[in-house]
Amino acid sequence: MKNQIKEPKFKEGQVVAFPSSYTVGNKARNGGTITTVEKMYELKEENKTYYSNGICRGVLTTQHSLSNGEFKGYSYKCKTIQPDGFSAEIVMVEEFKLKVSTEEKVINSYKIYA
């Protein structure tokens, strides 16, 4: 039986943290504000791409036309919350890599690196 589509756990405009146990991009990003919620699907085999060492670059997509149609959960487009002097970025994050937070908590989480 295919995964049933459930309601997203988070909403647009909500502030979320990116727990340190998960990688979000390749820079220090501790959280952000959700700007878009999108459904994720499993890629068709012919649309998967691989690194030179043979490892698959990813098996999920938000583009239904590139997928086998199997719903896998939600992806959230977030604008990162950064300390003063750093630029915000847009990142896509899977639902299980997020937790509810506040802007103040996200900003304060950068202070442990100072």
Side-chain angles (χ1 to χ4, degrees), residues 58-69:
V59 296
L60 299 174
T61 182
T62 57
Q63 297 180 355
H64 193 268
S65 62
L66 299 177
S67 76
N68 62 13

Side-chain angles (χ1 to χ4, degrees), residues 10-61:
F10 305 100
K11 297 181 170 103
E12 289 180 23
Q14 191 169 11
V15 175
V16 290
F18 312 145
S20 60
S21 58
Y22 298 111
T23 301
V24 175
N26 56 7
K27 296 181 181 175
R29 300 175 182 106
N30 294 353
T33 304
I34 296 171
T35 59
T36 307
V37 179
E38 297 185 37
K39 292 177 183 172
M40 287 187 308
Y41 303 95
E42 186 174 332
L43 273 170
K44 290 179 189 173
E45 191 61 41
E46 64 265 21
N47 294 321
K48 293 179 183 176
T49 57
Y50 297 85
Y51 293 108
S52 58
N53 63 3
I55 295 175
C56 186
R57 293 184 62 174
V59 296
L60 299 174
T61 182

Side-chain angles (χ1 to χ4, degrees), residues 31-109:
T33 304
I34 296 171
T35 59
T36 307
V37 179
E38 297 185 37
K39 292 177 183 172
M40 287 187 308
Y41 303 95
E42 186 174 332
L43 273 170
K44 290 179 189 173
E45 191 61 41
E46 64 265 21
N47 294 321
K48 293 179 183 176
T49 57
Y50 297 85
Y51 293 108
S52 58
N53 63 3
I55 295 175
C56 186
R57 293 184 62 174
V59 296
L60 299 174
T61 182
T62 57
Q63 297 180 355
H64 193 268
S65 62
L66 299 177
S67 76
N68 62 13
E70 189 174 345
F71 173 74
K72 290 292 187 178
Y74 289 95
S75 178
Y76 298 83
K77 186 180 288 186
C78 299
K79 181 177 180 183
T80 60
I81 297 170
Q82 300 287 114
D84 288 339
F86 295 88
S87 298
E89 298 178 273
I90 303 297
V91 295
M92 292 292 285
V93 187
E94 295 170 76
E95 188 170 79
F96 73 90
K97 294 182 178 179
L98 301 174
K99 68 178 184 178
V100 175
S101 191
T102 65
E103 188 169 346
E104 181 181 8
K105 286 180 181 177
V106 171
I107 290 294
N108 288 339
S109 68

